[in-house]
Amino acid sequence: MSHPITLGRIHHVAYRCRDAKETADWYARTLGMAFTTAFAEDHVPSTGAYDLYMHVFLDAGGGNVVAFFELPNQPEMGGDPNTPEWVQNIAFEVADLDALKVAKAHLEAQGIDVLGPTFHGIFRSIYFFDPNGHRLELACNIGTPKQYEELRRVAPLMLDEWSRKKRAPHYADWLHVDPGSLTE
């Protein structure tokens, strides 16, 4: 039986920003994203509510778009106080480990604090924050087809065990062994 909804891709993801121009300029300078579109309204089209906003769209490559809302009449933005800052992030893919290292050097040269590269078994990534406090991640895939197949196989087992026990299942502990850290 086919599903009645067929998704093509993510059209865009939207986040709040403190300053739309600063945000668009920062993403262009740090990540090479092109600023493509802006909407500014006094009323929200979906609800009709009065709420002045600037909505900017940035091309993240590969048909992916990241958008931001500046809301000058709303209280100052902040993070979710009940969620650790490492949880919510926007992750972008780069080609390989060399590209990840180049990106880290580029970001650090701009005075941005960068964490990583961090080993995640099937990818490595670096982490940093944009001027709005959003945590960003750049990741490069390093997994093998066999590893991805194994992860797909154990995913339902892991989720079922997690759902029952609320403890970390150990089906994919092999992800935590960094071959770069092993010595012969």
Side-chain angles (χ1 to χ4, degrees), residues 51-113:
D51 201 354
L52 177 66
Y53 69 87
M54 169 57 74
H55 194 23
V56 296
F57 294 76
L58 303 158
D59 182 350
N64 299 293
V65 175
V66 178
F68 293 91
F69 284 97
E70 181 181 341
L71 306 168
N73 294 336
Q74 292 292 332
E76 187 174 320
M77 65 182 281
D80 176 352
N82 296 321
T83 302
E85 68 178 11
W86 59 265
V87 172
Q88 296 172 343
N89 66 79
I90 309 169
F92 301 100
E93 185 176 320
V94 297
D96 53 30
L97 189 54
D98 288 338
L100 192 66
K101 291 175 182 176
V102 167
K104 180 177 180 170
H106 170 72
L107 294 164
E108 289 176 335
Q110 295 184 53
I112 298 169
D113 290 331

Side-chain angles (χ1 to χ4, degrees), residues 130-152:
D130 81 357
N132 306 295
H134 299 301
R135 189 175 200 223
L136 304 178
E137 176 181 359
L138 298 182
C140 66
N141 292 320
I142 59 170
T144 67
K146 188 173 182 175
Q147 289 173 320
Y148 292 118
E149 182 181 324
E150 176 62 7
L151 288 174
R152 277 189 298 278

Side-chain angles (χ1 to χ4, degrees), residues 1-170:
M1 179 177 172
S2 67
H3 196 282
I5 298 173
T6 302
L7 301 177
R9 63 181 173 90
I10 294 175
H11 185 275
H12 70 275
V13 294
Y15 296 86
R16 187 167 177 198
C17 67
R18 293 182 178 99
D19 182 294
K21 179 162 180 26
E22 174 191 44
T23 298
D25 291 348
W26 188 89
Y27 276 83
R29 183 179 66 254
T30 59
L31 298 177
M33 290 186 189
F35 168 49
T36 62
T37 310
F39 300 128
E41 304 284 345
D42 293 330
H43 290 83
V44 179
S46 61
T47 67
Y50 174 78
D51 201 354
L52 177 66
Y53 69 87
M54 169 57 74
H55 194 23
V56 296
F57 294 76
L58 303 158
D59 182 350
N64 299 293
V65 175
V66 178
F68 293 91
F69 284 97
E70 181 181 341
L71 306 168
N73 294 336
Q74 292 292 332
E76 187 174 320
M77 65 182 281
D80 176 352
N82 296 321
T83 302
E85 68 178 11
W86 59 265
V87 172
Q88 296 172 343
N89 66 79
I90 309 169
F92 301 100
E93 185 176 320
V94 297
D96 53 30
L97 189 54
D98 288 338
L100 192 66
K101 291 175 182 176
V102 167
K104 180 177 180 170
H106 170 72
L107 294 164
E108 289 176 335
Q110 295 184 53
I112 298 169
D113 290 331
V114 180
L115 176 66
T118 301
F119 177 75
H120 297 287
I122 56 169
F123 63 95
R124 289 188 186 269
S125 58
I126 59 173
Y127 300 92
F128 53 99
F129 289 89
D130 81 357
N132 306 295
H134 299 301
R135 189 175 200 223
L136 304 178
E137 176 181 359
L138 298 182
C140 66
N141 292 320
I142 59 170
T144 67
K146 188 173 182 175
Q147 289 173 320
Y148 292 118
E149 182 181 324
E150 176 62 7
L151 288 174
R152 277 189 298 278
R153 184 188 74 76
V154 300
L157 302 172
M158 291 180 70
L159 186 57
D160 181 57
E161 184 175 324
W162 173 264
S163 185
R164 287 183 287 109
K165 298 179 179 179
K166 298 300 183 208
R167 287 194 317 246
H170 297 284

